[in-house]
C-alpha cells in the first residue's frame, strides 16, 4: 500500500469544505469552492504528489521550493490582552499540506501514548478527522480522576510549553517524518519545503490554525511522551499542556526536571509563569471550578455540546432538544453576571455567542445588544470571533429577519466606539463577514477605507466579496481597473464578482479570460489533466447559476 493515497487528500478537502481552512478565521468563499469541488481538487493534489514520487528525493523539495505559494501571516487576538500570528494558506496548497498531514496522522496514531488527549486521529471518521470525545475537558477530567485515585498525599504539577508552535524546529519535524516513512523520504522533504514557505524562509515555527500543524505538533512531542512513560512518570498531555502526578513534592520536582530536560533536547522550554504545584485536593478544587458546577446554569452551559449535524437521522429532534435546553438556562442573566466580573469567563461568553441562533428572535436581539454595546464589547473582546460568528448566523437565517434592522444598526456603529478591536486582521475579517448581508452608507465608507489602507490580500478579498454581495457597481469598477496590480488571490475574487454586474462583468471576463491560465498558474499543471484554474472557472459558472 502506498504511504499516501488519494483518500488522504479527499479527507483534507472534505474537512476544509466542512470546517474551514483555519479555525481562527471566518469561512470565506474558497471554503464553498473547496466543498463543491473537493473531489476534483483532491485529484489534482494526488496527481501532483504522484509526480513528485517519480522524482528524486531532493527534487521533491526543490520543485516545491521553486513554486510561488500564497500564504499570509495575520494577527489574531488570543485572550483579553494577547495576540498571535495565524497563517492563511491558498486553497489548493492548504489541501495539499493537510493531505500530507492526514497521511502522517494515519501512520502515527498507533504509535501514540494513551495519555495524550489531543487530536486523536479517526481512520474511519464520518466527516471528522479527530475523535471529539478526546477533548480538553476530557483531559482535565482524566487528570482529576487519577489525582483523586492516587490518594490525598498526591502532588500535581500543571505546566505548559512556552510559545510551543513558534519554536518547533523544521529539522526535527523532517527527521520525525522520515522515521514514520523510512522508505519514502520525499514526504519529509515536501513538508520541510512547505513549512519554509509558510514561515517566510525561517527554519522553525508551524503555521497556526490548520489541521496539518496540529498533527505535526503531536508528532513533534511523541518522542517526549514516550520518554516520560519509560521513566515511569505519571503524566497527561493536551497539545502543549502537561499535568504530572507524583507521590511527593520530591518526586514531582524530579518529574518536572525530567520533562524540562526532554523538551530542552528539542529546543523547547516550560512556561515558568504557568507552572504550578498543587496538592491533589487543591488541584481537584481548581479544575472543578474551572469546568463549572454541573448543577448550576453556567456549568450546564459549559457542558452543552453545540455541534449540530443537519444530516443526522434525528436532525429535527436533535435541534429542537438543543433549543429547549438553551432556552431553559436564562442566558441573559448569565451574561449580565459575567459583566460584573473584572475578567469575564471567556469560555462561558463564547458559549453564549454560540447559542444566539438557538434563541427566540427577541431574546437573540437582547443578547446581541448586550454583547455589542460600546462598554461591553471591550470586556468581551476575548470572545470576539465567536460573537461575530453568532451575529452572522442570525443575519443568515430568515427566522430572525424581524431583528435584522436592529442588528445592522448595532454593527454599523462598532467602528465608531470600538475601532481598536478591529486592528488585528483576524478580528477585522470576522467583522467584515457580518457586513456582507446589507449595504449602508456607513459600511460603504468604512469598507473603502479598509481596502485602501490594508496591506493584506485576505482583507482585500473580504472587501471585494462584500462589494460582490452588495452588487456595488462603483466599487467593482474601482477594483477591475486595478486588476493588473492585484494578486491572483484578489483576481479570483474579482472574477467571481464580475458575474453580479451584467454586461459590464461579461465584457470584463471576455477581456481577461485568455490570460487566466498563465496569471493563476500554480506551477503543477499537466497536459490532459484539469487545472486549478479551469476547475475554479467552472465552479464560478455553477455557483452563480445556483444563487
Amino acid at each position: 500500500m502506498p504511504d499516501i493515497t488519494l483518500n488522504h487528500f479527499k479527507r483534507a478537502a472534505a474537512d476544509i469544505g466542512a470546517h474551514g481552512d483555519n479555525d481562527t478565521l471566518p469561512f470565506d468563499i474558497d471554503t464553498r469552492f473547496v466543498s463543491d469541488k473537493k473531489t476534483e481538487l483532491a485529484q489534482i493534489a494526488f496527481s501532483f504528489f504522484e509526480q513528485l514520487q517519480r522524482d528524486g528525493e531532493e527534487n521533491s523539495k526543490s520543485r516545491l521550493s521553486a513554486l510561488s505559494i500564497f500564504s499570509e501571516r495575520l494577527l489574531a487576538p488570543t485572550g483579553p490582552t494577547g495576540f498571535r500570528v495565524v497563517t492563511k494558506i491558498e486553497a489548493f496548497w492548504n489541501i495539499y499540506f493537510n493531505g500530507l498531514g492526514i497521511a502522517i496522522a494515519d501512520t502515527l496514531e498507533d504509535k501514540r501514548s494513551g495519555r495524550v488527549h489531543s487530536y486523536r486521529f479517526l481512520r474511519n471518521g464520518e466527516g471528522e478527522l479527530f475523535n471529539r470525545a478526546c477533548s480538553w475537558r476530557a483531559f482535565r477530567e482524566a487528570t482529576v480522576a487519577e489525582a483523586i485515585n492516587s490518594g490525598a498525599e498526591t502532588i500535581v504539577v500543571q505546566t505548559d510549553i512556552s510559545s510551543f508552535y513558534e519554536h518547533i524546529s523544521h529539522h526535527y519535524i523532517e527527521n520525525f517524518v522520515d522515521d514514520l516513512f523510512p522508505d519514502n523520504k520525499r514526504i519529509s522533504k515536501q513538508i520541510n519545503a512547505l513549512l519554509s514557505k509558510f514561515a517566510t524562509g525561517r527554519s522553525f515555527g508551524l503555521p497556526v490554525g490548520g489541521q496539518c500543524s496540529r498533527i505535526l505538533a503531536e508528532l513533534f512531542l511523541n518522542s517526549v511522551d514516550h520518554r516520560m512513560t519509560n521513566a515511569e512518570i505519571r503524566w497527561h498531555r493536551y497539545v502543549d499542556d502537561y499535568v504530572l502526578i507524583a507521590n511527593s513534592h520530591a518526586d514531582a520536582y524530579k518529574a518536572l526536571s525530567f520533562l524540562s530536560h526532554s523538551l530542552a533536547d528539542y529546543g523547547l522550554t516550560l512556561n515558568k509563569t504557568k507552572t504550578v504545584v498543587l496538592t491533589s485536593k487543591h488541584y481537584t478544587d481548581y479544575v472543578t471550578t474551572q469546568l463549572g458546577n454541573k448543577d448550576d446554569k453556567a456549568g450546564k452551559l459549559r457542558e452543552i455540546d453545540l455541534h449540530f449535524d443537519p444530516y443526522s437521522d434525528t436532525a429535527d429532534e436533535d435541534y429542537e432538544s438543543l433549543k429547549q435546553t438553551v432556552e431553559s438556562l436564562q442566558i441573559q442573566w448569565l451574561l449580565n453576571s459575567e459583566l460584573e466580573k473584572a475578567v469575564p469567563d471567556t469560555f462561558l461568553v463564547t458559549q453564549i455567542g454560540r447559542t444566539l441562533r438557538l434563541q427566540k428572535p427577541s431574546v437573540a436581539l437582547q443578547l446581541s445588544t448586550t454583547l455589542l454595546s460600546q462598554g461591553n464589547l471591550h470586556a468581551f473582546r476575548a470572545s470576539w470571533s465567536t460573537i461575530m460568528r453568532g451575529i452572522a448566523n442570525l443575519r443568515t437565517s430568515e427566522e430572525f429577519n424581524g431583528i435584522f434592522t436592529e442588528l445592522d444598526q448595532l454593527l454599523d456603529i462598532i467602528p465608531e466606539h470600538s475601532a481598536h478591536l478591529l486592528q488585528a486582521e483576524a478580528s477585522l475579517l470576522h467583522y467584515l463577514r457580518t457586513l456582507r448581508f446589507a449595504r449602508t452608507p456607513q459600511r460603504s465608507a468604512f469598507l473603502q477605507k479598509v481596502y485602501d489602507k490594508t496591506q493584506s490580500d485576505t482583507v482585500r478579498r473580504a472587501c471585494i466579496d462584500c462589494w460582490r454581495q452588495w452588487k456595488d457597481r462603483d466599487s467593482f469598477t474601482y477594483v477591475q481597473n486595478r486588476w493588473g496590480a492585484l494578486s491572483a488571490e484578489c483576481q479570483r475574487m474579482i472574477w467571481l464578482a464580475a458575474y453580479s454586474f451584467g454586461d459590464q462583468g461579461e465584457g470584463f471576463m471576455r477581456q481577461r479570460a485568455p490570460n487566466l491560465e498563465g496569471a493563476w498558474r500554480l506551477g503543477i499543471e499537466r497536459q490532459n489533466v484539469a487545472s486549478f484554474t479551469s476547475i475554479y472557472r467552472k465552479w464560478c459558472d455553477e455557483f452563480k447559476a445556483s444563487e
Side-chain angles (χ1 to χ4, degrees), residues 375-410:
N376 298 347
L377 191 55
H378 180 79
F380 295 144
R381 62 195 178 279
S383 302
W384 174 277
S385 63
T386 309
I387 291 170
M388 291 301 154
R389 284 191 179 109
I391 300 297
N393 285 336
L394 297 181
R395 281 300 275 109
T396 303
S397 174
E398 283 302 312
E399 178 184 352
F400 297 94
N401 61 6
I403 64 171
F404 284 174
T405 299
E406 291 87 347
L407 287 175
D408 287 346
Q409 290 171 350
L410 290 168

Side-chain angles (χ1 to χ4, degrees), residues 41 62 110 185 193-194 243 245 284 286 298 354 402 424 472 481 500 530 541:
L41 292 170
S62 61
D110 292 339
K185 294 192 175 183
L194 290 170
V243 170
I245 299 171
T284 300
Y286 168 75
R354 295 173 70 199
D472 185 336
N481 288 332
S500 299
D541 292 338

